[in-house]
């Protein structure tokens, strides 16, 4: 049996710096993902004093296999208004979407979002993963990790043979009488 080469996806995390608590939650998520085989790009690790922030966003977003957008109330507002780093990242992401709208490149992750709009307008209609319920954290984390590592919890079963084909084959048989 042929073994699948393990994948190590490069994942950019886009979020807004809403509060120290929110930034720490994102940092903990990123740290856990890295410990589970995901190459996470996070501004708090990869940006140094004096770095060109816009260049960092452009370079790392375009190199990433996937993007996690942490959709807090503030993030959704900033993205929809085109403000700050989140607004700039939206421009880069939407430019990529123009070439392939059917991609699953971006994963909306809902956290600290009590508003009616759970995702920014440009991500409306995309499947998202809610992380607002603390008791469900581990379940949602596993769902996210499995998606990133392409290890579905419910793999698609193989397609079996058509049971009616046997009947059709039988009906096509010629019966000869013996005298």
């Amino acid at each position: 049996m042929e073994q699948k080469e393990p994948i190590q996806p490069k994942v950019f995390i886009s979020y807004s710096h809403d509060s120290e608590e929110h930034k720490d939650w994102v940092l903990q998520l990123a740290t856990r993902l890295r410990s589970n085989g995901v190459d996470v790009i996070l501004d708090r690790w990869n940006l140094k004093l004096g770095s060109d922030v816009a260049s960092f966003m452009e370079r790392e977003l375009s190199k990433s296999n996937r993007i996690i957008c942490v959709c807090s109330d503030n993030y959704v507002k900033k993205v929809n208004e085109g403000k700050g780093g989140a607004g700039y990242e939206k421009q880069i992401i939407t430019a990529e979407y123009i070439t392939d709208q059917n991609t699953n490149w971006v994963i909306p992750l809902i956290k600290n979002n009590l508003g009616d709009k759970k995702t920014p307008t440009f991500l409306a209609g995309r499947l998202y993963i809610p992380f607002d319920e603390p008791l469900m954290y581990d379940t949602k984390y596993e769902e996210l990790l499995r998606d990133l590592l392409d290890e579905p919890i419910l793999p698609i079963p193989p397609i079996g043979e058509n049971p009616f084909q046997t009947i059709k084959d039988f009906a096509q048989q010629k019966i000869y009488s013996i005298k």
Side-chain angles (χ1 to χ4, degrees):
M1 186 179 229
E2 191 176 315
Q3 275 196 334
K4 216 168 44 166
E5 231 1 81
I7 61 168
Q8 189 178 56
K10 185 182 237 18
V11 176
F12 185 95
I13 298 182
S14 176
Y15 68 106
S16 56
H17 294 211
D18 299 355
S19 66
E20 287 304 315
E21 180 183 351
H22 184 69
K23 286 172 30 179
D24 286 345
W25 185 90
V26 171
L27 180 63
Q28 289 172 15
L29 174 69
T31 301
R32 188 170 180 192
L33 286 171
R34 281 192 68 82
S35 73
N36 289 134
V38 178
D39 183 8
V40 175
I41 304 301
L42 187 69
D43 60 351
R44 294 180 69 186
W45 291 329
N46 300 102
L47 270 177
K48 305 295 181 218
L49 292 175
S51 294
D52 181 343
V53 178
S55 176
F56 164 77
M57 288 186 245
E58 291 169 16
R59 181 180 59 254
E60 298 303 331
L61 279 166
S62 64
K63 286 193 319 189
S64 297
N65 303 107
R66 303 293 293 276
I67 299 167
I68 294 173
C69 291
V70 182
C71 301
S72 63
D73 285 323
N74 195 37
Y75 180 87
V76 171
K77 183 178 185 224
K78 282 182 170 182
V79 168
N80 284 341
E81 293 175 358
K83 305 277 180 168
Y88 187 64
E89 288 170 357
K90 174 206 136 189
Q91 288 181 332
I92 299 165
I93 295 168
T94 53
E96 295 283 339
Y97 267 148
I98 288 172
T99 60
D100 186 2
Q101 296 175 21
N102 296 317
T103 183
N104 65 350
W105 189 41
V106 178
I107 301 171
L109 185 154
I110 312 304
K111 179 68 178 157
N112 298 329
N113 188 326
L114 301 174
D116 292 334
K117 289 191 172 215
K118 296 299 181 191
T119 65
T121 303
F122 86 103
L123 293 175
R126 302 268 174 185
L127 288 179
Y128 61 80
I129 186 163
F131 267 85
D132 272 328
E133 181 56 51
L135 295 175
M136 294 297 294
Y137 180 88
D138 285 333
T139 302
K140 297 303 179 181
Y141 176 80
E142 181 181 349
E143 183 181 341
L144 173 64
L145 183 62
R146 284 179 172 281
D147 191 80
L148 292 171
L149 297 175
D150 196 26
E151 295 288 346
I153 197 161
L154 290 174
I156 299 171
I159 296 176
E161 291 186 31
N162 178 342
F164 301 107
Q165 189 61 44
T166 308
I167 294 170
K168 289 177 187 174
D169 291 344
F170 182 76
Q172 297 297 321
Q173 288 181 358
K174 293 190 179 184
I175 301 179
Y176 299 99
S177 62
I178 301 177
K179 292 194 185 185

